[in-house]
C-alpha cells in the first residue's frame, strides 16, 4: 500500500531528523526508536520465515542497544546532573553509550547480528539498513567522540579486521556487503577523534559506493556469487562497469574509494599511529580479496567458459536507471577532486 509505505518512510526520515536535531539524550533516544519501529514493517513485508527471523533479530538487538543507551544517559544524569549530549564527562556512561551506539550500527565485536539480518532482507530494505540507518547513531558518536579515544581505536581496528576476515568465505552477496559495511565503519571510527571531517567524507563516499553496489545487484536480481556470472546477458555495459564499482569499494586508485583510505592513513601517520595505520591498510587487502572474487565471477566467467549458474530469463527491468548511472559515475570518477575536498576539510 503506497500510503502505508509513505508513512513508514516519513517515520524513518523523521526519526533520523529528530536525532540529528536533538541536544537532549531523551530526544535522541526517541529518534532512534522511531527509526527502528519504522523500518521493522519494511523488513517483514514479505512474510517469508527468513525475513521474519531477520526482523526479530534486528528488533532485539536494536531494543537492547536503545535500552543500554537510555540506562547510560540516566546514569549520566544521576552522576553529573546533565542531560546534554555534549556534556558526557563521566567515563562510565560515556563508555556505555559508545558501546550501545556501536551495537546499533554493527561495529565489531558487536557486529554478529548485521550479516544475519541483512541476509534475510530483500535488496531494497537491505540498502536502507546499510545506509540510512547508520546516520542517526553516527551523528551521536560524532558528538561524543573526544571522550574515550582508546575504545574507539579498538572498535575501529577490530571492525576493519573482522570485516575483512568475515567476508572471505562468503558466497551470499548480502553477507559480503554486510562485512564490507563493518569494515568501512571501522575505518570511519578509527579516524573519528583525530579528524571528524574525514570521518564524514568517508561516510559520504561509503553511502555512494554502497548505493551503487546494491542497485547493480538489484538490477541483476543477484543474491549470490553464482548468479553474478550470468549478468553479462542482461546488462553487458553495466557488467563491464561493476568491477570498477567493487574495486572502488575495496579502495583501489584511481577510483573514488581510494580517497578516504588515503586521507585516513595519512592522518593516522601524522598522529604517530603508524602501527595502527599499517594494520588498517593490511585489513583493507582482506576486503579487496572478496571484491576481486566478485569481479572475477562477474566478468571473467563469461561464455564460452562454463557458466556456474543457469542462464536466466532476460526480462526487461522496471528499475530506474538514472540513480544507478549517477551513483556509478560518482563511485568511479571522484578521486581527482581530492585536493579540493581536502582543502575544504582543512578550512
Amino acid at each position: 500500500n503506497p500510503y502505508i509505505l509513505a508513512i513508514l518512510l516519513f517515520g524513518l526520515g523523521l526519526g533520523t531528523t529528530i536525532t540529528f536535531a536533538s541536544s537532549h539524550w531523551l530526544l535522541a533516544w526517541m529518534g532512534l526508536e522511531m527509526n527502528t519501529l519504522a523500518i521493522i514493517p519494511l523488513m517483514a513485508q514479505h512474510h517469508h520465515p527468513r525475513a521474519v527471523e531477520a526482523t526479530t533479530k534486528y528488533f532485539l538487538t536494536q531494543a537492547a542497544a536503545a535500552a543500554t543507551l537510555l540506562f547510560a544517559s540516566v546514569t549520566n544524569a544521576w552522576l553529573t546532573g546533565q542531560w546534554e549530549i555534549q556534556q558526557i564527562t563521566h567515563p562510565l556512561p560515556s563508555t556505555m553509550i559508545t558501546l550501545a551506539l556501536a551495537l546499533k550500527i554493527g561495529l565489531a565485536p558487536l557486529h554478529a547480528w548485521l550479516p544475519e539480518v541483512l541476509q534475510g532482507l530483500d535488496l531494497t530494505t537491505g540498502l536502507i539498513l546499510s545506509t540510512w540507518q547508520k546516520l542517526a547513531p553516527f551523528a551521536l558518536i560524532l558528538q561524543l567522540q573526544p571522550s574515550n579515544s582508546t575504545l574507539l581505536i579498538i572498535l575501529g581496528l577490530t571492525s576493519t579486521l573482522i570485516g575483512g576476515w568475515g567476508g572471505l568465505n562468503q558466497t551470499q552477496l548480502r553477507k559480503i556487503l554486510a562485512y564490507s559495511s563493518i569494515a568501512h565503519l571501522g575505518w570511519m571510527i578509527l579516524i573519528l577523534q583525530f579528524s571528524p571531517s574525514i570521518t564524514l567524507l568517508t561516510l559520504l563516499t561509503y553511502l555512494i559506493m554502497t548505493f551503487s553496489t546494491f542497485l547493480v545487484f538489484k538490477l541483476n536480481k543477484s543474491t549470490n556469487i553464482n548468479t553474478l556470472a550470468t549478468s553479462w546477458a542482461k546488462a553487458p555495459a553495466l557488467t563491464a562497469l561493476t568491477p570498477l564499482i567493487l574495486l572502488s569499494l575495496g579502495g583501489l586508485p584511481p577510483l573514488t574509494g581510494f580517497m578516504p583510505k588515503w586521507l585516513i592513513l595519512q592522518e593516522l601517520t601524522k598522529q604517530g599511529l603508524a602501527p595502527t595505520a599499517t594494520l588498517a591498510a593490511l585489513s583493507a587487502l582482506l576486503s579487496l580479496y572478496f571484491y576481486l572474487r566478485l569481479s572475477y565471477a562477474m566478468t571473467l566467467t563469461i561464455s564460452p567458459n562454463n557458466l556456474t549458474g543457469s542462464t536466466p530469463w532476460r526480462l526487461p527491468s522496471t528499475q530506474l536507471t538514472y540513480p544507478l548511472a549517477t551513483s556509478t559515475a560518482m563511485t568511479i570518477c571522484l578521486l581527482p577532486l581530492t585536493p579540493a575536498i581536502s582543502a575544504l576539510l582543512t578550512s
Side-chain angles (χ1 to χ4, degrees):
N1 187 325
Y3 296 117
I4 292 173
L5 184 66
I7 289 169
L8 292 175
L9 292 176
F10 176 71
L12 268 180
L14 186 64
T16 307
T17 314
I18 285 175
T19 306
F20 279 177
S22 59
S23 59
H24 191 286
W25 273 118
L26 275 180
L27 209 59
W29 171 80
M30 193 172 79
L32 291 171
E33 284 296 281
M34 282 179 71
N35 236 348
T36 306
L37 293 174
I39 201 173
I40 280 172
L42 292 175
M43 289 174 143
Q45 64 185 332
H46 293 296
H47 303 299
H48 188 276
R50 196 77 186 74
V52 173
E53 181 191 336
T55 311
T56 311
K57 284 177 180 171
Y58 181 75
F59 174 73
L60 291 173
T61 49
Q62 296 298 307
T68 311
L69 184 77
L70 191 61
F71 176 64
S73 52
V74 170
T75 309
N76 183 62
W78 178 53
L79 289 168
T80 63
Q82 285 288 353
W83 278 101
E84 290 279 315
I85 291 177
Q86 307 278 3
Q87 301 292 332
I88 294 278
T89 48
H90 199 282
L92 176 67
S94 167
T95 307
M96 281 173 66
I97 288 173
T98 309
L99 289 173
L101 293 169
L103 176 59
K104 267 210 172 285
I105 55 177
L107 278 174
L110 305 164
H111 66 288
W113 62 271
L114 185 58
E116 295 298 319
V117 167
L118 210 56
Q119 179 56 28
L121 305 178
D122 65 320
L123 288 166
T124 315
T125 319
L127 173 61
I128 295 173
L129 182 68
S130 300
T131 53
W132 186 259
Q133 291 297 90
K134 307 280 187 225
L135 297 178
F138 223 90
L140 294 176
I141 294 177
L142 266 171
Q143 293 176 67
L144 273 179
Q145 44 92 11
S147 51
N148 36 20
S149 51
T150 320
L151 178 64
L152 289 181
I153 289 183
I154 291 168
L155 285 172
L157 267 182
T158 319
S159 298
T160 52
L161 287 165
I162 285 181
W165 282 119
L168 288 181
N169 210 19
Q170 299 296 338
T171 55
Q172 298 293 325
L173 297 180
R174 286 165 292 185
K175 279 197 175 179
I176 287 177
L177 285 169
Y179 282 110
S180 153
S181 170
I182 293 164
H184 277 91
L185 288 167
W187 279 87
M188 291 173 218
I189 291 295
L190 209 50
I191 198 66
L192 184 61
Q193 59 197 308
F194 306 116
S195 174
S197 49
I198 293 182
T199 297
L200 284 174
L201 172 68
T202 315
L203 181 62
L204 192 63
T205 49
Y206 160 75
L207 294 179
I208 294 167
M209 295 186 296
T210 307
F211 187 70
S212 306
T213 317
F214 267 99
L215 287 189
V216 168
F217 293 159
K218 191 166 172 283
L219 191 78
N220 290 325
K221 297 186 172 61
S222 306
T223 52
N224 60 25
I225 291 185
N226 285 354
T227 50
L228 277 183
T230 55
S231 58
W232 59 271
K234 295 179 181 176
L238 185 63
T239 305
L241 284 173
T242 306
L244 293 176
I245 296 174
L246 291 167
L247 294 177
S248 184
L249 263 174
L252 274 197
L255 304 162
T256 307
F258 178 59
M259 173 172 46
K261 285 190 167 58
W262 174 20
L263 293 171
I264 287 172
L265 292 176
Q266 189 181 332
E267 186 63 35
L268 285 174
T269 316
K270 273 186 200 168
Q271 299 289 341
L273 290 169
T276 310
T278 311
L279 256 177
L282 288 173
S283 70
L285 292 175
L286 294 169
S287 301
L288 187 60
Y289 173 77
F290 57 78
Y291 297 127
L292 280 170
R293 253 179 87 203
L294 295 184
S295 306
Y296 173 81
M298 202 156 188
T299 51
L300 299 175
T301 48
I302 293 175
S303 186
N305 298 352
N306 291 329
L307 282 177
T308 45
S310 55
T311 310
W313 287 96
R314 292 180 61 180
L315 299 169
S317 172
T318 53
Q319 186 179 321
L320 286 173
T321 47
Y322 289 119
L324 178 56
T326 315
S327 62
T328 302
M330 290 169 80
T331 301
I332 296 170
C333 307
L334 288 186
L335 186 68
L337 295 178
T338 308
I341 289 169
S342 30
L344 276 173
L345 293 180
T346 49
S347 61

